Amino acid sequence: MHKVGAWLVFPWLILPLMAEELPSGVDTITPVPPPEIALGGLGPGAEALPDQLKIDNFGGGSQTFTQDSVVFAGPGIKITGDNGMEIFADRVVVDRKAASATLEGNVSVYQGNVLQRGQRAVYFYERKFLDASGLRVSLDPILLEAGKFTVEERNGKKVYVGEDAGITTDDQETPDYWVRAKKTTIVPGEKIVFNDLRLYAGDVPVFWLPYFSHPLDAQLGYHFLPGSRSNWGPFLLNTYGTMLGGKINPVTGENEDAWLLARWRFDLRASRGVGVGVDLVDRKADNSDEISGLSLYYLYDTDPQNTRSGISRGPLDADRYRIELKQRFKLDLPDQADWRIDSNLTLLSDQHFLEDFDIAKYRTDPAPDNTLGIYRRDDASLLSLYGRFRINDFYRSDTRSPELSFDQAAAPLFGLPLIHEGNTSLGIIGENAADPTRKMILEPLVSLTPGAAAEGFLNQLTGFDRQLAEQMIALPLGDSRRDAIRTQLIDSSYARFNSFQQVSLPLTFGDFLSLVPNAGVGYTSYAAVDGPIDNLDRLTLHAGTEASVKFSKDFGNYRNARWGLDGLRHILQPYSQWSVLTTNDFEPGDPQVDRLTPTTRPRPLDPSRFTAVDELHSWNIVRLGARNRLITKRDNQSYEWLYLDTYINAFLQDPEAQRNYSNLYNDLRWQPLPWMGLDVQTQFPIASGGSGFNEFTGRVRFMPTQNFQFSLGYRSLNNHPVFIDSNRIDFSTYLNISEGWGMSSRHTLELDDGTLEVQQYSLHRDLGNWVAGLGFSHRDNRVATEYGVFLSLTLKNLPAVSLPFQLETQ
């Protein structure tokens, strides 16, 4: 066992503990071993030096030899070790009785990427022990000091035990903060344990824990998030991450080879009560951030009627919970392919849980999917057998009980220049209405005819439900089509076989013309259909072609540093795409689970990319367009300075409406400089018989000065047949007020009704190595007002620090 007193930097603390990257150029770093000085001598009198030392006096200073010592006066004294370590000092005293070399004045020890600095160090050359307690050792951004370190071997691993140790990132003579402990035990790559931990701001202790064990992983350890929200009141969310599994070492008692990440949750919300839960994540799995494992959460809600939106809700049980399993199991099968089992299951207590307690998830996925499947994937295909289940009965969902699907990627067919791709599936498909909607609206509605009573029920429906209900009410009572629509509206089920296969032939004629004709055939069969509809089948035929020509003009060495131009080339690519599809168009009461959803963007013209297979109608469409690119040089590589795609669809047969033309679309992307960019999407009608609505979406990012940057977005939508009109502006800013102060803001304004929907204001204070933030948010939901207050405190060089606390906001 070696004892080393030192300021030491352990590079494996940087990435795992503080979630920072290693400095550029550093691949792997090893802790500093006890130095071994190479043999050698120095000038006249060198015979008085011990054989274990090699000393060079580059500064040309004096050398004094006595019976028991040798004194070298610098500056420029250098000791070189055979392990690559170099030590520099202004003065070296070799004491042959003590078998030591004392280095004084501007002492620097270099080995690899580790730098030790200070005013004094003592090397005991017979014991090969360096007493570096007077040195500071740094590897950006970590500094670690200790009065003494003991290097121990535990189960083949080096473990460092430090006494009176401290950690900081403030590389100056008097650091602004320290994390100190009476005893610090460091297991490289695994954890760091503090006994009697104290956090110092300067020389003032501000935080204390008797014991703290922190795994060297940003997701582990203790984190807490304070704040306040209108529907929560003041809150404090607590998380503690630990590793489970593996084997217990009988000697050290440590849990080795742990593989299961456990994040324990204990949340306090003043207006809603106490919530508890745990997340269990398999760290051996790839993409463990997305495959979140098993999550359990429960809260006894003291005020379940408290809403963010202000819209009243029906009776709701106080027991609120979520059980989620997102896991991937890889299978090792004797096959040249990747096999896996994927589960994506979410059980919620009610339809408002995500809205109340997981706002980020609610905004993107308010009705979580529930699937379980086995998949085989190789370079050419994907084979899947999966089921989709209706676990939550309070929102409309479709089911697969199960479905077998085989997707073939585009690849040459039998070695020919033909490119083939296709999809084939067979499954039992179903869809169920939400229980609240079914009981309160749909079941009474099926017996009504047009009138005030029916209108009252219709006003409570939206989207597909309303569309089908209107078609059903328009039919007379007793009409068989009415029963068919009722089945689709409430509960539908059928077996479906679907296949579509397509081939294409890419042709090029020099660098000028590109032509890609393609043809495909599909077949769909429906059987065991619920309701009065008989079994159905249909044949789909498709033919099309894509053609493009390319022109370019080189403007030579045109340069304009102000706009980021270093040479300029313009590429113009006019193109056309023609697509003809013929199939048996279905009636509204026919099976329709995989159907179209409303959008402002154009539909794909390739049937293999068309996922709404139950609502596939005949079409004949020609798309005409032109792509413009401006190319310059950036870092000795081609760089797309500007891109513009302009196109329009001409409908010889419109599958959705009675249009002759689509809107004219323009997609623009302009990134001339790192501190300025513009994205714009526009569409508007240019001829009669068009789509009849217009849309503009744009965003500009600009940093006019070093102290100010902003982002301005604007969206306008008018006269869309499904979506409501919108005229919205969002504006975000950041202002560096002074060297130590900054301010940011965000606003969203709906001009149609003059509502300032979102206001956020944050004040940031640079405290040297810390950045503190205080913010306020306000959201106008039109029915109710929502607010939030947040506090953040972060190490500037280590923004993800959680040692031993973390203050954030949601």
mmCIF file with all atom_site columns, all heavy atoms in Angstrom, residues 142-160:
data_model
loop_
_atom_site.group_PDB
_atom_site.id
_atom_site.type_symbol
_atom_site.label_atom_id
_atom_site.label_alt_id
_atom_site.label_comp_id
_atom_site.label_asym_id
_atom_site.label_entity_id
_atom_site.label_seq_id
_atom_site.pdbx_PDB_ins_code
_atom_site.Cartn_x
_atom_site.Cartn_y
_atom_site.Cartn_z
_atom_site.occupancy
_atom_site.B_iso_or_equiv
_atom_site.pdbx_formal_charge
_atom_site.auth_seq_id
_atom_site.auth_comp_id
_atom_site.auth_asym_id
_atom_site.auth_atom_id
_atom_site.pdbx_PDB_model_num
ATOM 1   N N   . ILE A 1 142 ? -11.538 20.153 -12.751 1.00 0.00 ? 142 ILE A N   1
ATOM 2   C CA  . ILE A 1 142 ? -11.573 19.676 -11.377 1.00 0.00 ? 142 ILE A CA  1
ATOM 3   C C   . ILE A 1 142 ? -10.258 19.965 -10.666 1.00 0.00 ? 142 ILE A C   1
ATOM 4   O O   . ILE A 1 142 ? -9.182  19.764 -11.224 1.00 0.00 ? 142 ILE A O   1
ATOM 5   C CB  . ILE A 1 142 ? -11.844 18.156 -11.338 1.00 0.00 ? 142 ILE A CB  1
ATOM 6   C CG1 . ILE A 1 142 ? -13.171 17.839 -12.009 1.00 0.00 ? 142 ILE A CG1 1
ATOM 7   C CG2 . ILE A 1 142 ? -11.810 17.623 -9.923  1.00 0.00 ? 142 ILE A CG2 1
ATOM 8   C CD1 . ILE A 1 142 ? -14.355 18.219 -11.201 1.00 0.00 ? 142 ILE A CD1 1
ATOM 9   N N   . LEU A 1 143 ? -10.331 20.403 -9.412  1.00 0.00 ? 143 LEU A N   1
ATOM 10  C CA  . LEU A 1 143 ? -9.209  20.460 -8.502  1.00 0.00 ? 143 LEU A CA  1
ATOM 11  C C   . LEU A 1 143 ? -9.560  19.611 -7.289  1.00 0.00 ? 143 LEU A C   1
ATOM 12  O O   . LEU A 1 143 ? -10.659 19.727 -6.750  1.00 0.00 ? 143 LEU A O   1
ATOM 13  C CB  . LEU A 1 143 ? -8.928  21.892 -8.051  1.00 0.00 ? 143 LEU A CB  1
ATOM 14  C CG  . LEU A 1 143 ? -8.355  22.858 -9.091  1.00 0.00 ? 143 LEU A CG  1
ATOM 15  C CD1 . LEU A 1 143 ? -8.311  24.260 -8.506  1.00 0.00 ? 143 LEU A CD1 1
ATOM 16  C CD2 . LEU A 1 143 ? -6.979  22.434 -9.518  1.00 0.00 ? 143 LEU A CD2 1
ATOM 17  N N   . LEU A 1 144 ? -8.621  18.773 -6.857  1.00 0.00 ? 144 LEU A N   1
ATOM 18  C CA  . LEU A 1 144 ? -8.867  17.907 -5.710  1.00 0.00 ? 144 LEU A CA  1
ATOM 19  C C   . LEU A 1 144 ? -7.635  17.945 -4.830  1.00 0.00 ? 144 LEU A C   1
ATOM 20  O O   . LEU A 1 144 ? -6.520  17.715 -5.291  1.00 0.00 ? 144 LEU A O   1
ATOM 21  C CB  . LEU A 1 144 ? -9.139  16.470 -6.180  1.00 0.00 ? 144 LEU A CB  1
ATOM 22  C CG  . LEU A 1 144 ? -9.314  15.404 -5.105  1.00 0.00 ? 144 LEU A CG  1
ATOM 23  C CD1 . LEU A 1 144 ? -10.528 15.715 -4.244  1.00 0.00 ? 144 LEU A CD1 1
ATOM 24  C CD2 . LEU A 1 144 ? -9.445  14.041 -5.742  1.00 0.00 ? 144 LEU A CD2 1
ATOM 25  N N   . GLU A 1 145 ? -7.808  18.253 -3.546  1.00 0.00 ? 145 GLU A N   1
ATOM 26  C CA  . GLU A 1 145 ? -6.687  18.314 -2.622  1.00 0.00 ? 145 GLU A CA  1
ATOM 27  C C   . GLU A 1 145 ? -6.954  17.399 -1.443  1.00 0.00 ? 145 GLU A C   1
ATOM 28  O O   . GLU A 1 145 ? -8.104  17.056 -1.135  1.00 0.00 ? 145 GLU A O   1
ATOM 29  C CB  . GLU A 1 145 ? -6.469  19.733 -2.107  1.00 0.00 ? 145 GLU A CB  1
ATOM 30  C CG  . GLU A 1 145 ? -7.534  20.195 -1.132  1.00 0.00 ? 145 GLU A CG  1
ATOM 31  C CD  . GLU A 1 145 ? -7.133  21.447 -0.395  1.00 0.00 ? 145 GLU A CD  1
ATOM 32  O OE1 . GLU A 1 145 ? -6.079  22.002 -0.723  1.00 0.00 ? 145 GLU A OE1 1
ATOM 33  O OE2 . GLU A 1 145 ? -7.875  21.865 0.499   1.00 0.00 ? 145 GLU A OE2 1
ATOM 34  N N   . ALA A 1 146 ? -5.871  17.006 -0.765  1.00 0.00 ? 146 ALA A N   1
ATOM 35  C CA  . ALA A 1 146 ? -6.003  16.198 0.444   1.00 0.00 ? 146 ALA A CA  1
ATOM 36  C C   . ALA A 1 146 ? -4.715  16.303 1.240   1.00 0.00 ? 146 ALA A C   1
ATOM 37  O O   . ALA A 1 146 ? -3.628  16.480 0.677   1.00 0.00 ? 146 ALA A O   1
ATOM 38  C CB  . ALA A 1 146 ? -6.289  14.736 0.115   1.00 0.00 ? 146 ALA A CB  1
ATOM 39  N N   . GLY A 1 147 ? -4.817  16.206 2.563   1.00 0.00 ? 147 GLY A N   1
ATOM 40  C CA  . GLY A 1 147 ? -3.631  16.166 3.386   1.00 0.00 ? 147 GLY A CA  1
ATOM 41  C C   . GLY A 1 147 ? -2.847  14.892 3.145   1.00 0.00 ? 147 GLY A C   1
ATOM 42  O O   . GLY A 1 147 ? -1.628  14.881 3.152   1.00 0.00 ? 147 GLY A O   1
ATOM 43  N N   . LYS A 1 148 ? -3.563  13.789 2.901   1.00 0.00 ? 148 LYS A N   1
ATOM 44  C CA  . LYS A 1 148 ? -2.917  12.509 2.657   1.00 0.00 ? 148 LYS A CA  1
ATOM 45  C C   . LYS A 1 148 ? -3.878  11.590 1.919   1.00 0.00 ? 148 LYS A C   1
ATOM 46  O O   . LYS A 1 148 ? -5.074  11.590 2.186   1.00 0.00 ? 148 LYS A O   1
ATOM 47  C CB  . LYS A 1 148 ? -2.501  11.871 3.985   1.00 0.00 ? 148 LYS A CB  1
ATOM 48  C CG  . LYS A 1 148 ? -1.781  10.538 3.829   1.00 0.00 ? 148 LYS A CG  1
ATOM 49  C CD  . LYS A 1 148 ? -1.295  10.015 5.165   1.00 0.00 ? 148 LYS A CD  1
ATOM 50  C CE  . LYS A 1 148 ? -2.459  9.627  6.043   1.00 0.00 ? 148 LYS A CE  1
ATOM 51  N NZ  . LYS A 1 148 ? -2.010  9.031  7.329   1.00 0.00 ? 148 LYS A NZ  1
ATOM 52  N N   . PHE A 1 149 ? -3.347  10.839 0.969   1.00 0.00 ? 149 PHE A N   1
ATOM 53  C CA  . PHE A 1 149 ? -4.131  9.830  0.273   1.00 0.00 ? 149 PHE A CA  1
ATOM 54  C C   . PHE A 1 149 ? -3.481  8.467  0.468   1.00 0.00 ? 149 PHE A C   1
ATOM 55  O O   . PHE A 1 149 ? -2.267  8.322  0.356   1.00 0.00 ? 149 PHE A O   1
ATOM 56  C CB  . PHE A 1 149 ? -4.226  10.126 -1.230  1.00 0.00 ? 149 PHE A CB  1
ATOM 57  C CG  . PHE A 1 149 ? -5.475  10.838 -1.618  1.00 0.00 ? 149 PHE A CG  1
ATOM 58  C CD1 . PHE A 1 149 ? -5.477  12.198 -1.795  1.00 0.00 ? 149 PHE A CD1 1
ATOM 59  C CD2 . PHE A 1 149 ? -6.652  10.138 -1.794  1.00 0.00 ? 149 PHE A CD2 1
ATOM 60  C CE1 . PHE A 1 149 ? -6.633  12.866 -2.154  1.00 0.00 ? 149 PHE A CE1 1
ATOM 61  C CE2 . PHE A 1 149 ? -7.807  10.790 -2.145  1.00 0.00 ? 149 PHE A CE2 1
ATOM 62  C CZ  . PHE A 1 149 ? -7.803  12.162 -2.318  1.00 0.00 ? 149 PHE A CZ  1
ATOM 63  N N   . THR A 1 150 ? -4.296  7.469  0.757   1.00 0.00 ? 150 THR A N   1
ATOM 64  C CA  . THR A 1 150 ? -3.845  6.093  0.834   1.00 0.00 ? 150 THR A CA  1
ATOM 65  C C   . THR A 1 150 ? -4.380  5.348  -0.380  1.00 0.00 ? 150 THR A C   1
ATOM 66  O O   . THR A 1 150 ? -5.582  5.357  -0.637  1.00 0.00 ? 150 THR A O   1
ATOM 67  C CB  . THR A 1 150 ? -4.359  5.408  2.117   1.00 0.00 ? 150 THR A CB  1
ATOM 68  O OG1 . THR A 1 150 ? -3.890  6.134  3.245   1.00 0.00 ? 150 THR A OG1 1
ATOM 69  C CG2 . THR A 1 150 ? -3.852  3.979  2.190   1.00 0.00 ? 150 THR A CG2 1
ATOM 70  N N   . VAL A 1 151 ? -3.488  4.733  -1.131  1.00 0.00 ? 151 VAL A N   1
ATOM 71  C CA  . VAL A 1 151 ? -3.873  3.980  -2.321  1.00 0.00 ? 151 VAL A CA  1
ATOM 72  C C   . VAL A 1 151 ? -3.939  2.509  -1.946  1.00 0.00 ? 151 VAL A C   1
ATOM 73  O O   . VAL A 1 151 ? -2.919  1.913  -1.579  1.00 0.00 ? 151 VAL A O   1
ATOM 74  C CB  . VAL A 1 151 ? -2.878  4.214  -3.470  1.00 0.00 ? 151 VAL A CB  1
ATOM 75  C CG1 . VAL A 1 151 ? -3.355  3.509  -4.730  1.00 0.00 ? 151 VAL A CG1 1
ATOM 76  C CG2 . VAL A 1 151 ? -2.689  5.694  -3.713  1.00 0.00 ? 151 VAL A CG2 1
ATOM 77  N N   . GLU A 1 152 ? -5.130  1.923  -2.023  1.00 0.00 ? 152 GLU A N   1
ATOM 78  C CA  . GLU A 1 152 ? -5.333  0.548  -1.610  1.00 0.00 ? 152 GLU A CA  1
ATOM 79  C C   . GLU A 1 152 ? -5.771  -0.305 -2.793  1.00 0.00 ? 152 GLU A C   1
ATOM 80  O O   . GLU A 1 152 ? -6.364  0.204  -3.740  1.00 0.00 ? 152 GLU A O   1
ATOM 81  C CB  . GLU A 1 152 ? -6.395  0.469  -0.500  1.00 0.00 ? 152 GLU A CB  1
ATOM 82  C CG  . GLU A 1 152 ? -6.071  1.318  0.716   1.00 0.00 ? 152 GLU A CG  1
ATOM 83  C CD  . GLU A 1 152 ? -7.181  1.272  1.745   1.00 0.00 ? 152 GLU A CD  1
ATOM 84  O OE1 . GLU A 1 152 ? -8.196  0.574  1.493   1.00 0.00 ? 152 GLU A OE1 1
ATOM 85  O OE2 . GLU A 1 152 ? -7.049  1.936  2.788   1.00 0.00 ? 152 GLU A OE2 1
ATOM 86  N N   . GLU A 1 153 ? -5.500  -1.575 -2.709  1.00 0.00 ? 153 GLU A N   1
ATOM 87  C CA  . GLU A 1 153 ? -5.964  -2.540 -3.694  1.00 0.00 ? 153 GLU A CA  1
ATOM 88  C C   . GLU A 1 153 ? -7.160  -3.290 -3.112  1.00 0.00 ? 153 GLU A C   1
ATOM 89  O O   . GLU A 1 153 ? -7.039  -3.956 -2.079  1.00 0.00 ? 153 GLU A O   1
ATOM 90  C CB  . GLU A 1 153 ? -4.861  -3.525 -4.052  1.00 0.00 ? 153 GLU A CB  1
ATOM 91  C CG  . GLU A 1 153 ? -3.719  -2.921 -4.844  1.00 0.00 ? 153 GLU A CG  1
ATOM 92  C CD  . GLU A 1 153 ? -4.090  -2.690 -6.308  1.00 0.00 ? 153 GLU A CD  1
ATOM 93  O OE1 . GLU A 1 153 ? -5.047  -3.340 -6.774  1.00 0.00 ? 153 GLU A OE1 1
ATOM 94  O OE2 . GLU A 1 153 ? -3.422  -1.869 -6.963  1.00 0.00 ? 153 GLU A OE2 1
ATOM 95  N N   . ARG A 1 154 ? -8.318  -3.173 -3.758  1.00 0.00 ? 154 ARG A N   1
ATOM 96  C CA  . ARG A 1 154 ? -9.511  -3.881 -3.321  1.00 0.00 ? 154 ARG A CA  1
ATOM 97  C C   . ARG A 1 154 ? -10.076 -4.662 -4.496  1.00 0.00 ? 154 ARG A C   1
ATOM 98  O O   . ARG A 1 154 ? -10.584 -4.074 -5.446  1.00 0.00 ? 154 ARG A O   1
ATOM 99  C CB  . ARG A 1 154 ? -10.576 -2.914 -2.780  1.00 0.00 ? 154 ARG A CB  1
ATOM 100 C CG  . ARG A 1 154 ? -10.160 -2.147 -1.532  1.00 0.00 ? 154 ARG A CG  1
ATOM 101 C CD  . ARG A 1 154 ? -11.304 -1.288 -1.036  1.00 0.00 ? 154 ARG A CD  1
ATOM 102 N NE  . ARG A 1 154 ? -10.914 -0.481 0.120   1.00 0.00 ? 154 ARG A NE  1
ATOM 103 C CZ  . ARG A 1 154 ? -11.733 0.406  0.704   1.00 0.00 ? 154 ARG A CZ  1
ATOM 104 N NH1 . ARG A 1 154 ? -12.968 0.574  0.240   1.00 0.00 ? 154 ARG A NH1 1
ATOM 105 N NH2 . ARG A 1 154 ? -11.318 1.106  1.735   1.00 0.00 ? 154 ARG A NH2 1
ATOM 106 N N   . ASN A 1 155 ? -9.960  -5.957 -4.416  1.00 0.00 ? 155 ASN A N   1
ATOM 107 C CA  . ASN A 1 155 ? -10.494 -6.832 -5.448  1.00 0.00 ? 155 ASN A CA  1
ATOM 108 C C   . ASN A 1 155 ? -9.965  -6.454 -6.833  1.00 0.00 ? 155 ASN A C   1
ATOM 109 O O   . ASN A 1 155 ? -10.697 -6.385 -7.818  1.00 0.00 ? 155 ASN A O   1
ATOM 110 C CB  . ASN A 1 155 ? -12.027 -6.794 -5.448  1.00 0.00 ? 155 ASN A CB  1
ATOM 111 C CG  . ASN A 1 155 ? -12.624 -7.951 -6.219  1.00 0.00 ? 155 ASN A CG  1
ATOM 112 O OD1 . ASN A 1 155 ? -12.004 -9.009 -6.344  1.00 0.00 ? 155 ASN A OD1 1
ATOM 113 N ND2 . ASN A 1 155 ? -13.819 -7.754 -6.748  1.00 0.00 ? 155 ASN A ND2 1
ATOM 114 N N   . GLY A 1 156 ? -8.663  -6.183 -6.880  1.00 0.00 ? 156 GLY A N   1
ATOM 115 C CA  . GLY A 1 156 ? -8.035  -5.854 -8.149  1.00 0.00 ? 156 GLY A CA  1
ATOM 116 C C   . GLY A 1 156 ? -8.232  -4.427 -8.599  1.00 0.00 ? 156 GLY A C   1
ATOM 117 O O   . GLY A 1 156 ? -7.804  -4.059 -9.687  1.00 0.00 ? 156 GLY A O   1
ATOM 118 N N   . LYS A 1 157 ? -8.892  -3.590 -7.793  1.00 0.00 ? 157 LYS A N   1
ATOM 119 C CA  . LYS A 1 157 ? -9.139  -2.197 -8.160  1.00 0.00 ? 157 LYS A CA  1
ATOM 120 C C   . LYS A 1 157 ? -8.418  -1.277 -7.194  1.00 0.00 ? 157 LYS A C   1
ATOM 121 O O   . LYS A 1 157 ? -8.323  -1.572 -6.001  1.00 0.00 ? 157 LYS A O   1
ATOM 122 C CB  . LYS A 1 157 ? -10.638 -1.877 -8.138  1.00 0.00 ? 157 LYS A CB  1
ATOM 123 C CG  . LYS A 1 157 ? -11.458 -2.659 -9.138  1.00 0.00 ? 157 LYS A CG  1
ATOM 124 C CD  . LYS A 1 157 ? -12.925 -2.258 -9.037  1.00 0.00 ? 157 LYS A CD  1
ATOM 125 C CE  . LYS A 1 157 ? -13.781 -3.038 -10.024 1.00 0.00 ? 157 LYS A CE  1
ATOM 126 N NZ  . LYS A 1 157 ? -15.211 -2.676 -9.918  1.00 0.00 ? 157 LYS A NZ  1
ATOM 127 N N   . LYS A 1 158 ? -7.933  -0.148 -7.710  1.00 0.00 ? 158 LYS A N   1
ATOM 128 C CA  . LYS A 1 158 ? -7.328  0.857  -6.857  1.00 0.00 ? 158 LYS A CA  1
ATOM 129 C C   . LYS A 1 158 ? -8.422  1.706  -6.223  1.00 0.00 ? 158 LYS A C   1
ATOM 130 O O   . LYS A 1 158 ? -9.291  2.214  -6.916  1.00 0.00 ? 158 LYS A O   1
ATOM 131 C CB  . LYS A 1 158 ? -6.383  1.751  -7.665  1.00 0.00 ? 158 LYS A CB  1
ATOM 132 C CG  . LYS A 1 158 ? -5.042  1.102  -7.972  1.00 0.00 ? 158 LYS A CG  1
ATOM 133 C CD  . LYS A 1 158 ? -4.075  2.100  -8.595  1.00 0.00 ? 158 LYS A CD  1
ATOM 134 C CE  . LYS A 1 158 ? -2.719  1.465  -8.833  1.00 0.00 ? 158 LYS A CE  1
ATOM 135 N NZ  . LYS A 1 158 ? -1.759  2.442  -9.410  1.00 0.00 ? 158 LYS A NZ  1
ATOM 136 N N   . VAL A 1 159 ? -8.341  1.839  -4.919  1.00 0.00 ? 159 VAL A N   1
ATOM 137 C CA  . VAL A 1 159 ? -9.280  2.669  -4.165  1.00 0.00 ? 159 VAL A CA  1
ATOM 138 C C   . VAL A 1 159 ? -8.471  3.715  -3.420  1.00 0.00 ? 159 VAL A C   1
ATOM 139 O O   . VAL A 1 159 ? -7.485  3.394  -2.749  1.00 0.00 ? 159 VAL A O   1
ATOM 140 C CB  . VAL A 1 159 ? -10.113 1.821  -3.184  1.00 0.00 ? 159 VAL A CB  1
ATOM 141 C CG1 . VAL A 1 159 ? -11.025 2.717  -2.357  1.00 0.00 ? 159 VAL A CG1 1
ATOM 142 C CG2 . VAL A 1 159 ? -10.924 0.779  -3.935  1.00 0.00 ? 159 VAL A CG2 1
ATOM 143 N N   . TYR A 1 160 ? -8.880  4.976  -3.526  1.00 0.00 ? 160 TYR A N   1
ATOM 144 C CA  . TYR A 1 160 ? -8.157  6.086  -2.933  1.00 0.00 ? 160 TYR A CA  1
ATOM 145 C C   . TYR A 1 160 ? -8.921  6.582  -1.711  1.00 0.00 ? 160 TYR A C   1
ATOM 146 O O   . TYR A 1 160 ? -10.104 6.940  -1.807  1.00 0.00 ? 160 TYR A O   1
ATOM 147 C CB  . TYR A 1 160 ? -7.984  7.220  -3.944  1.00 0.00 ? 160 TYR A CB  1
ATOM 148 C CG  . TYR A 1 160 ? -7.161  6.828  -5.129  1.00 0.00 ? 160 TYR A CG  1
ATOM 149 C CD1 . TYR A 1 160 ? -7.720  6.131  -6.194  1.00 0.00 ? 160 TYR A CD1 1
ATOM 150 C CD2 . TYR A 1 160 ? -5.811  7.128  -5.189  1.00 0.00 ? 160 TYR A CD2 1
ATOM 151 C CE1 . TYR A 1 160 ? -6.966  5.749  -7.285  1.00 0.00 ? 160 TYR A CE1 1
ATOM 152 C CE2 . TYR A 1 160 ? -5.036  6.756  -6.283  1.00 0.00 ? 160 TYR A CE2 1
ATOM 153 C CZ  . TYR A 1 160 ? -5.625  6.065  -7.323  1.00 0.00 ? 160 TYR A CZ  1
ATOM 154 O OH  . TYR A 1 160 ? -4.871  5.691  -8.406  1.00 0.00 ? 160 TYR A OH  1
#
